[in-house]
Amino acid sequence: MARRKLVYEGKAKILYEGPEPGTLVQYFKDDATAFNAEKKDVIDGKGVLNNRLSEFFMTGLQRIGIPTHFIKRLNMREQLIRQVEIVPLEVIVRNFAAGTMAKRLGMEEGTQLPRPVVEFSYKDDSLGDPLVPEEYIVALGWASQQDLEDIIAMALRVNDFLAGVMHGVGIKLVDFKIEIGRVYDGEFPRLIVADEISPDSCRLWDIETNEKLDKDVFRRDLGSLSDAYTEVARRLGVLPQNNAPSGKPTLVN
């Protein structure tokens, strides 16, 4: 088998050249990182779970008309995706105060916000992904004012979808982040959801107990990250009902 060309390796995923022009293969690693990779570990089976969960959410978004980079799942750890030009922003949607927002504003974690809040951070690990106002984004040419309006509208639609799906299985969507990519239809750019949607990129709490079911389990040493992600997958039907693995997950094909 020919060696694949590596395009990019990040903290949680590797991108390889795809089989067709304009495509990439996205490989989900078992690596877990927090605090700008100051805390690291390898969680057996994490990449398998995130691959399947991201597939579940991306295909769900496509069904309601929100375009994404996802084409198809190739195997337990890999997806075929569209190659995009990534907008250098993390788009964060918050429904409840938590994490850095709670610290920044002195709010109690779990306080429900009057409405969803969309904020942006500049994607640069060396700077700590700083929050940036919309004026900076437009002035520095990362996105136009129209792009920002479209991104906010898209992010809120994603929020409606994810919050509804999660509420249906007894999970509170506290906040999440997405990345946006540009694809070109001829000379015309179009914005689509890219990267991944998984418990790595969402804060998910059990509605009844507020038990954490996301990467905060790893950040705060609250227990087994694999068990938390497996519980999310089980509730969403990505795992068979009679299977609750503690090590390598066996997922529905």
Side-chain angles (χ1 to χ4, degrees):
M1 185 176 175
R3 188 178 181 87
R4 293 182 298 182
K5 180 180 178 183
L6 180 112
V7 175
Y8 172 79
E9 181 167 2
K11 290 176 284 191
K13 296 179 294 298
I14 303 173
L15 297 178
Y16 297 100
E17 193 174 69
E20 302 291 339
T23 67
L24 296 169
V25 173
Q26 181 167 254
Y27 175 93
F28 288 77
K29 299 158 64 174
D30 282 343
D31 299 46
T33 63
F35 313 117
N36 260 343
E38 291 178 14
K39 183 176 183 179
K40 302 178 185 178
D41 203 353
V42 176
I43 311 296
D44 198 21
K46 170 179 171 287
V48 175
L49 286 161
N50 279 352
N51 181 24
R52 286 305 306 267
L53 285 164
S54 193
E55 173 195 19
F56 175 86
F57 293 125
M58 292 289 188
T59 54
L61 291 175
Q62 289 173 349
R63 280 196 296 270
I64 64 169
I66 300 175
T68 83
H69 73 168
F70 179 83
I71 299 173
K72 65 179 180 178
R73 178 171 58 87
L74 298 174
N75 53 52
M76 298 301 278
R77 288 187 178 272
E78 294 180 327
Q79 301 177 355
L80 183 67
I81 61 173
R82 292 188 69 176
Q83 187 169 15
V84 302
E85 175 189 298
I86 288 288
V87 178
L89 301 169
E90 290 183 347
V91 184
I92 303 157
V93 182
R94 300 184 182 275
N95 298 306
F96 298 83
T100 56
M101 180 186 190
K103 291 179 183 177
R104 198 165 58 236
L105 301 179
M107 299 177 70
E108 182 180 352
E109 277 212 320
T111 302
Q112 186 166 5
L113 303 175
R115 62 176 178 81
V117 172
V118 181
E119 59 187 29
F120 300 95
S121 67
Y122 177 52
K123 279 178 57 64
D124 189 318
D125 286 344
S126 67
L127 299 175
D129 299 328
L131 283 178
V132 288
E134 294 181 25
E135 288 82 358
Y136 286 20
I137 295 168
V138 174
L140 295 171
W142 298 331
S144 68
Q145 188 63 51
Q146 184 61 58
D147 285 340
L148 282 180
E149 292 174 13
D150 293 343
I151 289 170
I152 291 169
M154 186 181 294
L156 291 174
R157 288 189 66 201
V158 173
N159 185 51
D160 287 344
F161 169 77
L162 292 180
V165 169
M166 291 301 186
H167 189 270
V169 295
I171 295 175
K172 183 187 301 182
L173 179 66
V174 175
D175 57 40
F176 68 92
K177 63 182 179 182
I178 54 174
E179 293 186 18
I180 301 296
R182 291 188 185 93
V183 293
Y184 289 85
D185 296 326
E187 297 181 359
F188 299 99
R190 189 160 59 94
L191 298 171
I192 66 174
V193 178
D195 192 45
E196 70 174 295
I197 300 175
S198 76
D200 269 9
S201 58
C202 303
R203 273 197 177 85
L204 306 171
W205 297 0
D206 180 84
I207 285 176
E208 297 295 330
T209 66
N210 281 337
E211 177 188 1
K212 309 296 188 290
L213 299 171
D214 55 67
K215 201 161 73 167
D216 275 349
V217 172
F218 174 69
R219 290 187 188 99
R220 304 181 185 185
D221 297 315
L222 298 176
S224 166
L225 190 68
S226 179
D227 286 352
Y229 285 21
T230 296
E231 176 63 12
V232 174
R234 184 193 67 78
R235 293 195 195 188
L236 291 169
V238 176
L239 283 174
Q241 293 299 313
N242 62 353
N243 189 18
S246 58
K248 295 181 179 179
T250 302
L251 300 181
V252 179
N253 288 315

